[in-house]
Amino acid sequence: MCMRKRLITPTQGTVRSRGKGWLDVERAGMVEITSEEKDYPVESAFAAGEAQGWRAAEPGSQTIRLIFDQPQRLKLISLVFEEKEIPRTQEFVLRWSADGGNSFREIVRQQ
């Protein structure tokens, strides 16, 4: 199975499939990313049991945008951030769009 993806331009400031009850992101839509390191593709961030995860190829603010083929009702989103090499502050923002990406509503922002 090959995840559909494309690189996008960063914006100013694409759930893990673990079995029953979890959304299979690879089949549900496409992911857009601002960058990815060759050995740490975004697919590994969504694969159950995958240890390496995703890593950006460029420094700075990054975007991972999920574009679902059909509207999804999400009850739980699981995110894990792990940085072992460089101490830094991580901030993430979750937004959703009901109009195909023309406007976004912020759900949560956490640092």
Side-chain angles (χ1 to χ4, degrees):
M1 185 72 168
C2 187
M3 178 177 269
R4 294 175 289 155
K5 64 183 176 183
R6 66 177 162 218
L7 289 173
I8 60 171
T9 303
T11 58
Q12 298 298 317
T14 252
V15 185
R16 192 175 289 244
S17 179
R18 295 187 195 165
K20 188 175 180 179
W22 288 92
L23 180 64
D24 184 347
V25 177
E26 287 188 8
R27 289 191 168 93
M30 177 174 44
V31 65
E32 293 180 335
I33 53 177
T34 48
S35 81
E36 72 178 354
E37 196 169 297
K38 186 182 119 203
D39 294 331
Y40 297 87
V42 73
E43 293 90 328
S44 62
F46 298 100
E50 188 68 44
Q52 74 183 37
W54 166 81
R55 187 181 293 174
E58 305 295 327
S61 181
Q62 302 295 322
T63 298
I64 298 175
R65 183 178 300 140
L66 299 176
I67 302 171
F68 297 113
D69 295 333
Q70 301 294 321
Q72 301 293 320
R73 181 175 297 273
L74 304 177
K75 295 179 182 179
L76 179 66
I77 298 172
S78 176
L79 301 169
V80 176
F81 298 91
E82 187 174 330
E83 173 60 73
K84 295 179 179 180
E85 297 174 14
I86 303 169
R88 69 178 89 212
T89 300
Q90 301 283 353
E91 178 182 58
F92 74 92
V93 178
L94 293 176
R95 297 182 184 103
W96 74 280
S97 175
D99 59 8
N102 292 315
S103 64
F104 293 90
R105 180 173 164 206
E106 193 169 298
I107 299 169
V108 68
R109 177 182 296 266
Q110 186 171 338
Q111 188 176 53

PDB file of all heavy atoms in Angstrom, residues 37 40 51-60 62 79-91:
ATOM      1  N   GLU A  37      12.274  14.096   5.758  1.00  0.00           N
ATOM      2  CA  GLU A  37      13.594  13.525   5.583  1.00  0.00           C
ATOM      3  C   GLU A  37      13.435  12.170   4.906  1.00  0.00           C
ATOM      4  O   GLU A  37      12.523  11.406   5.225  1.00  0.00           O
ATOM      5  CB  GLU A  37      14.273  13.362   6.953  1.00  0.00           C
ATOM      6  CG  GLU A  37      15.753  13.140   6.848  1.00  0.00           C
ATOM      7  CD  GLU A  37      16.435  13.257   8.199  1.00  0.00           C
ATOM      8  OE1 GLU A  37      16.391  14.348   8.800  1.00  0.00           O
ATOM      9  OE2 GLU A  37      16.998  12.238   8.622  1.00  0.00           O
ATOM     10  N   TYR A  40      12.849   9.130   6.986  1.00  0.00           N
ATOM     11  CA  TYR A  40      11.767   9.272   7.969  1.00  0.00           C
ATOM     12  C   TYR A  40      10.500   9.779   7.284  1.00  0.00           C
ATOM     13  O   TYR A  40      10.007  10.868   7.589  1.00  0.00           O
ATOM     14  CB  TYR A  40      12.183  10.231   9.087  1.00  0.00           C
ATOM     15  CG  TYR A  40      13.362   9.742   9.882  1.00  0.00           C
ATOM     16  CD1 TYR A  40      14.665  10.008   9.470  1.00  0.00           C
ATOM     17  CD2 TYR A  40      13.172   9.002  11.040  1.00  0.00           C
ATOM     18  CE1 TYR A  40      15.758   9.553  10.193  1.00  0.00           C
ATOM     19  CE2 TYR A  40      14.257   8.543  11.775  1.00  0.00           C
ATOM     20  CZ  TYR A  40      15.544   8.814  11.344  1.00  0.00           C
ATOM     21  OH  TYR A  40      16.612   8.353  12.070  1.00  0.00           O
ATOM     22  N   ALA A  51       8.509   2.542  14.831  1.00  0.00           N
ATOM     23  CA  ALA A  51       9.306   3.218  15.852  1.00  0.00           C
ATOM     24  C   ALA A  51       9.973   4.496  15.359  1.00  0.00           C
ATOM     25  O   ALA A  51      10.228   5.400  16.131  1.00  0.00           O
ATOM     26  CB  ALA A  51      10.372   2.257  16.392  1.00  0.00           C
ATOM     27  N   GLN A  52      10.286   4.609  14.061  1.00  0.00           N
ATOM     28  CA  GLN A  52      11.080   5.748  13.609  1.00  0.00           C
ATOM     29  C   GLN A  52      10.270   7.018  13.429  1.00  0.00           C
ATOM     30  O   GLN A  52      10.766   8.096  13.656  1.00  0.00           O
ATOM     31  CB  GLN A  52      11.835   5.412  12.333  1.00  0.00           C
ATOM     32  CG  GLN A  52      10.974   5.361  11.086  1.00  0.00           C
ATOM     33  CD  GLN A  52      11.772   4.945   9.883  1.00  0.00           C
ATOM     34  OE1 GLN A  52      12.640   4.109   9.976  1.00  0.00           O
ATOM     35  NE2 GLN A  52      11.469   5.518   8.758  1.00  0.00           N
ATOM     36  N   GLY A  53       9.038   6.966  13.005  1.00  0.00           N
ATOM     37  CA  GLY A  53       8.212   8.151  12.837  1.00  0.00           C
ATOM     38  C   GLY A  53       8.638   9.036  11.689  1.00  0.00           C
ATOM     39  O   GLY A  53       9.467   8.671  10.867  1.00  0.00           O
ATOM     40  N   TRP A  54       8.060  10.227  11.632  1.00  0.00           N
ATOM     41  CA  TRP A  54       8.319  11.205  10.582  1.00  0.00           C
ATOM     42  C   TRP A  54       9.306  12.249  11.094  1.00  0.00           C
ATOM     43  O   TRP A  54       9.321  12.587  12.269  1.00  0.00           O
ATOM     44  CB  TRP A  54       7.010  11.884  10.189  1.00  0.00           C
ATOM     45  CG  TRP A  54       7.180  13.125   9.370  1.00  0.00           C
ATOM     46  CD1 TRP A  54       7.400  13.185   8.034  1.00  0.00           C
ATOM     47  CD2 TRP A  54       7.145  14.473   9.836  1.00  0.00           C
ATOM     48  NE1 TRP A  54       7.499  14.501   7.630  1.00  0.00           N
ATOM     49  CE2 TRP A  54       7.341  15.316   8.731  1.00  0.00           C
ATOM     50  CE3 TRP A  54       6.972  15.056  11.085  1.00  0.00           C
ATOM     51  CZ2 TRP A  54       7.365  16.689   8.819  1.00  0.00           C
ATOM     52  CZ3 TRP A  54       6.995  16.440  11.183  1.00  0.00           C
ATOM     53  CH2 TRP A  54       7.185  17.236  10.055  1.00  0.00           C
ATOM     54  N   ARG A  55      10.098  12.777  10.182  1.00  0.00           N
ATOM     55  CA  ARG A  55      11.026  13.857  10.513  1.00  0.00           C
ATOM     56  C   ARG A  55      11.095  14.812   9.333  1.00  0.00           C
ATOM     57  O   ARG A  55      11.198  14.395   8.183  1.00  0.00           O
ATOM     58  CB  ARG A  55      12.416  13.295  10.803  1.00  0.00           C
ATOM     59  CG  ARG A  55      13.385  14.352  11.311  1.00  0.00           C
ATOM     60  CD  ARG A  55      14.761  13.799  11.575  1.00  0.00           C
ATOM     61  NE  ARG A  55      14.730  12.856  12.684  1.00  0.00           N
ATOM     62  CZ  ARG A  55      15.771  12.132  13.069  1.00  0.00           C
ATOM     63  NH1 ARG A  55      16.915  12.217  12.418  1.00  0.00           N
ATOM     64  NH2 ARG A  55      15.677  11.311  14.085  1.00  0.00           N
ATOM     65  N   ALA A  56      11.066  16.101   9.627  1.00  0.00           N
ATOM     66  CA  ALA A  56      11.167  17.114   8.576  1.00  0.00           C
ATOM     67  C   ALA A  56      12.588  17.187   8.040  1.00  0.00           C
ATOM     68  O   ALA A  56      13.548  16.971   8.770  1.00  0.00           O
ATOM     69  CB  ALA A  56      10.751  18.477   9.122  1.00  0.00           C
ATOM     70  N   ALA A  57      12.716  17.518   6.778  1.00  0.00           N
ATOM     71  CA  ALA A  57      14.031  17.673   6.160  1.00  0.00           C
ATOM     72  C   ALA A  57      14.579  19.081   6.373  1.00  0.00           C
ATOM     73  O   ALA A  57      15.779  19.299   6.297  1.00  0.00           O
ATOM     74  CB  ALA A  57      13.950  17.375   4.669  1.00  0.00           C
ATOM     75  N   GLU A  58      13.701  20.019   6.642  1.00  0.00           N
ATOM     76  CA  GLU A  58      14.080  21.418   6.815  1.00  0.00           C
ATOM     77  C   GLU A  58      13.729  21.877   8.224  1.00  0.00           C
ATOM     78  O   GLU A  58      12.751  21.430   8.796  1.00  0.00           O
ATOM     79  CB  GLU A  58      13.325  22.293   5.804  1.00  0.00           C
ATOM     80  CG  GLU A  58      13.494  21.885   4.361  1.00  0.00           C
ATOM     81  CD  GLU A  58      14.916  22.043   3.861  1.00  0.00           C
ATOM     82  OE1 GLU A  58      15.602  22.969   4.312  1.00  0.00           O
ATOM     83  OE2 GLU A  58      15.329  21.237   3.016  1.00  0.00           O
ATOM     84  N   PRO A  59      14.500  22.817   8.798  1.00  0.00           N
ATOM     85  CA  PRO A  59      14.157  23.353  10.118  1.00  0.00           C
ATOM     86  C   PRO A  59      12.958  24.299  10.035  1.00  0.00           C
ATOM     87  O   PRO A  59      12.578  24.738   8.952  1.00  0.00           O
ATOM     88  CB  PRO A  59      15.423  24.108  10.526  1.00  0.00           C
ATOM     89  CG  PRO A  59      16.078  24.473   9.246  1.00  0.00           C
ATOM     90  CD  PRO A  59      15.738  23.371   8.271  1.00  0.00           C
ATOM     91  N   GLY A  60      12.386  24.611  11.177  1.00  0.00           N
ATOM     92  CA  GLY A  60      11.307  25.590  11.247  1.00  0.00           C
ATOM     93  C   GLY A  60       9.939  24.961  11.352  1.00  0.00           C
ATOM     94  O   GLY A  60       9.789  23.753  11.515  1.00  0.00           O
ATOM     95  N   GLN A  62       6.480  23.347  10.609  1.00  0.00           N
ATOM     96  CA  GLN A  62       6.101  22.316   9.655  1.00  0.00           C
ATOM     97  C   GLN A  62       4.590  22.118   9.667  1.00  0.00           C
ATOM     98  O   GLN A  62       3.941  22.344  10.685  1.00  0.00           O
ATOM     99  CB  GLN A  62       6.772  20.988   9.996  1.00  0.00           C
ATOM    100  CG  GLN A  62       8.273  21.034  10.029  1.00  0.00           C
ATOM    101  CD  GLN A  62       8.877  21.317   8.665  1.00  0.00           C
ATOM    102  OE1 GLN A  62       8.398  20.834   7.649  1.00  0.00           O
ATOM    103  NE2 GLN A  62       9.955  22.091   8.646  1.00  0.00           N
ATOM    104  N   LEU A  79      -1.371  11.779  19.427  1.00  0.00           N
ATOM    105  CA  LEU A  79      -0.134  12.366  18.920  1.00  0.00           C
ATOM    106  C   LEU A  79       0.995  12.077  19.892  1.00  0.00           C
ATOM    107  O   LEU A  79       0.822  12.195  21.108  1.00  0.00           O
ATOM    108  CB  LEU A  79      -0.262  13.894  18.793  1.00  0.00           C
ATOM    109  CG  LEU A  79      -1.353  14.415  17.880  1.00  0.00           C
ATOM    110  CD1 LEU A  79      -1.512  15.910  18.076  1.00  0.00           C
ATOM    111  CD2 LEU A  79      -1.022  14.105  16.445  1.00  0.00           C
ATOM    112  N   VAL A  80       2.162  11.717  19.365  1.00  0.00           N
ATOM    113  CA  VAL A  80       3.351  11.505  20.188  1.00  0.00           C
ATOM    114  C   VAL A  80       4.492  12.269  19.536  1.00  0.00           C
ATOM    115  O   VAL A  80       4.780  12.069  18.359  1.00  0.00           O
ATOM    116  CB  VAL A  80       3.717   9.999  20.293  1.00  0.00           C
ATOM    117  CG1 VAL A  80       5.005   9.825  21.073  1.00  0.00           C
ATOM    118  CG2 VAL A  80       2.576   9.213  20.916  1.00  0.00           C
ATOM    119  N   PHE A  81       5.137  13.146  20.299  1.00  0.00           N
ATOM    120  CA  PHE A  81       6.295  13.901  19.829  1.00  0.00           C
ATOM    121  C   PHE A  81       7.498  13.427  20.624  1.00  0.00           C
ATOM    122  O   PHE A  81       7.463  13.414  21.849  1.00  0.00           O
ATOM    123  CB  PHE A  81       6.108  15.403  20.051  1.00  0.00           C
ATOM    124  CG  PHE A  81       4.944  15.968  19.302  1.00  0.00           C
ATOM    125  CD1 PHE A  81       3.688  16.035  19.882  1.00  0.00           C
ATOM    126  CD2 PHE A  81       5.108  16.424  18.009  1.00  0.00           C
ATOM    127  CE1 PHE A  81       2.611  16.557  19.192  1.00  0.00           C
ATOM    128  CE2 PHE A  81       4.030  16.942  17.302  1.00  0.00           C
ATOM    129  CZ  PHE A  81       2.783  17.012  17.898  1.00  0.00           C
ATOM    130  N   GLU A  82       8.555  13.057  19.915  1.00  0.00           N
ATOM    131  CA  GLU A  82       9.753  12.582  20.594  1.00  0.00           C
ATOM    132  C   GLU A  82      10.984  13.168  19.921  1.00  0.00           C
ATOM    133  O   GLU A  82      11.185  12.991  18.728  1.00  0.00           O
ATOM    134  CB  GLU A  82       9.807  11.059  20.531  1.00  0.00           C
ATOM    135  CG  GLU A  82      10.917  10.465  21.342  1.00  0.00           C
ATOM    136  CD  GLU A  82      10.835   8.945  21.377  1.00  0.00           C
ATOM    137  OE1 GLU A  82       9.733   8.390  21.290  1.00  0.00           O
ATOM    138  OE2 GLU A  82      11.901   8.323  21.468  1.00  0.00           O
ATOM    139  N   GLU A  83      11.772  13.878  20.687  1.00  0.00           N
ATOM    140  CA  GLU A  83      13.008  14.478  20.188  1.00  0.00           C
ATOM    141  C   GLU A  83      14.113  14.102  21.157  1.00  0.00           C
ATOM    142  O   GLU A  83      14.100  14.530  22.310  1.00  0.00           O
ATOM    143  CB  GLU A  83      12.870  15.999  20.093  1.00  0.00           C
ATOM    144  CG  GLU A  83      14.148  16.720  19.754  1.00  0.00           C
ATOM    145  CD  GLU A  83      14.751  16.317  18.435  1.00  0.00           C
ATOM    146  OE1 GLU A  83      14.211  16.690  17.392  1.00  0.00           O
ATOM    147  OE2 GLU A  83      15.777  15.603  18.450  1.00  0.00           O
ATOM    148  N   LYS A  84      15.071  13.301  20.694  1.00  0.00           N
ATOM    149  CA  LYS A  84      16.149  12.823  21.552  1.00  0.00           C
ATOM    150  C   LYS A  84      17.475  13.519  21.283  1.00  0.00           C
ATOM    151  O   LYS A  84      18.391  13.421  22.080  1.00  0.00           O
ATOM    152  CB  LYS A  84      16.336  11.313  21.374  1.00  0.00           C
ATOM    153  CG  LYS A  84      15.153  10.512  21.836  1.00  0.00           C
ATOM    154  CD  LYS A  84      15.394   9.035  21.618  1.00  0.00           C
ATOM    155  CE  LYS A  84      14.213   8.219  22.105  1.00  0.00           C
ATOM    156  NZ  LYS A  84      14.422   6.795  21.894  1.00  0.00           N
ATOM    157  N   GLU A  85      17.587  14.223  20.154  1.00  0.00           N
ATOM    158  CA  GLU A  85      18.877  14.775  19.756  1.00  0.00           C
ATOM    159  C   GLU A  85      19.077  16.238  20.127  1.00  0.00           C
ATOM    160  O   GLU A  85      20.161  16.628  20.536  1.00  0.00           O
ATOM    161  CB  GLU A  85      19.054  14.596  18.243  1.00  0.00           C
ATOM    162  CG  GLU A  85      19.093  13.130  17.836  1.00  0.00           C
ATOM    163  CD  GLU A  85      19.118  12.938  16.331  1.00  0.00           C
ATOM    164  OE1 GLU A  85      19.367  13.925  15.605  1.00  0.00           O
ATOM    165  OE2 GLU A  85      18.890  11.808  15.882  1.00  0.00           O
ATOM    166  N   ILE A  86      18.052  17.071  19.965  1.00  0.00           N
ATOM    167  CA  ILE A  86      18.193  18.513  20.172  1.00  0.00           C
ATOM    168  C   ILE A  86      17.087  19.002  21.112  1.00  0.00           C
ATOM    169  O   ILE A  86      15.913  18.851  20.790  1.00  0.00           O
ATOM    170  CB  ILE A  86      18.072  19.275  18.830  1.00  0.00           C
ATOM    171  CG1 ILE A  86      19.105  18.772  17.824  1.00  0.00           C
ATOM    172  CG2 ILE A  86      18.205  20.775  19.049  1.00  0.00           C
ATOM    173  CD1 ILE A  86      18.877  19.266  16.418  1.00  0.00           C
ATOM    174  N   PRO A  87      17.450  19.602  22.260  1.00  0.00           N
ATOM    175  CA  PRO A  87      16.409  20.148  23.135  1.00  0.00           C
ATOM    176  C   PRO A  87      15.684  21.293  22.424  1.00  0.00           C
ATOM    177  O   PRO A  87      16.315  22.168  21.842  1.00  0.00           O
ATOM    178  CB  PRO A  87      17.182  20.671  24.348  1.00  0.00           C
ATOM    179  CG  PRO A  87      18.574  20.150  24.214  1.00  0.00           C
ATOM    180  CD  PRO A  87      18.790  19.783  22.791  1.00  0.00           C
ATOM    181  N   ARG A  88      14.371  21.245  22.448  1.00  0.00           N
ATOM    182  CA  ARG A  88      13.583  22.288  21.804  1.00  0.00           C
ATOM    183  C   ARG A  88      12.170  22.288  22.352  1.00  0.00           C
ATOM    184  O   ARG A  88      11.732  21.330  22.937  1.00  0.00           O
ATOM    185  CB  ARG A  88      13.564  22.118  20.286  1.00  0.00           C
ATOM    186  CG  ARG A  88      12.777  20.895  19.843  1.00  0.00           C
ATOM    187  CD  ARG A  88      12.697  20.729  18.350  1.00  0.00           C
ATOM    188  NE  ARG A  88      13.832  19.957  17.898  1.00  0.00           N
ATOM    189  CZ  ARG A  88      14.409  20.109  16.721  1.00  0.00           C
ATOM    190  NH1 ARG A  88      13.957  20.971  15.879  1.00  0.00           N
ATOM    191  NH2 ARG A  88      15.443  19.384  16.384  1.00  0.00           N
ATOM    192  N   THR A  89      11.473  23.368  22.093  1.00  0.00           N
ATOM    193  CA  THR A  89      10.067  23.466  22.460  1.00  0.00           C
ATOM    194  C   THR A  89       9.233  23.003  21.273  1.00  0.00           C
ATOM    195  O   THR A  89       9.456  23.450  20.150  1.00  0.00           O
ATOM    196  CB  THR A  89       9.698  24.917  22.812  1.00  0.00           C
ATOM    197  OG1 THR A  89      10.503  25.324  23.908  1.00  0.00           O
ATOM    198  CG2 THR A  89       8.232  25.037  23.182  1.00  0.00           C
ATOM    199  N   GLN A  90       8.316  22.098  21.519  1.00  0.00           N
ATOM    200  CA  GLN A  90       7.408  21.631  20.472  1.00  0.00           C
ATOM    201  C   GLN A  90       6.045  22.283  20.689  1.00  0.00           C
ATOM    202  O   GLN A  90       5.548  22.333  21.806  1.00  0.00           O
ATOM    203  CB  GLN A  90       7.243  20.102  20.535  1.00  0.00           C
ATOM    204  CG  GLN A  90       8.509  19.319  20.389  1.00  0.00           C
ATOM    205  CD  GLN A  90       9.011  19.243  18.958  1.00  0.00           C
ATOM    206  OE1 GLN A  90       8.345  19.664  18.023  1.00  0.00           O
ATOM    207  NE2 GLN A  90      10.179  18.701  18.782  1.00  0.00           N
ATOM    208  N   GLU A  91       5.451  22.795  19.644  1.00  0.00           N
ATOM    209  CA  GLU A  91       4.095  23.314  19.701  1.00  0.00           C
ATOM    210  C   GLU A  91       3.318  22.684  18.566  1.00  0.00           C
ATOM    211  O   GLU A  91       3.840  22.542  17.460  1.00  0.00           O
ATOM    212  CB  GLU A  91       4.073  24.838  19.545  1.00  0.00           C
ATOM    213  CG  GLU A  91       2.667  25.393  19.560  1.00  0.00           C
ATOM    214  CD  GLU A  91       2.621  26.901  19.364  1.00  0.00           C
ATOM    215  OE1 GLU A  91       3.121  27.368  18.325  1.00  0.00           O
ATOM    216  OE2 GLU A  91       2.071  27.573  20.231  1.00  0.00           O
TER     217      GLU A  91
END
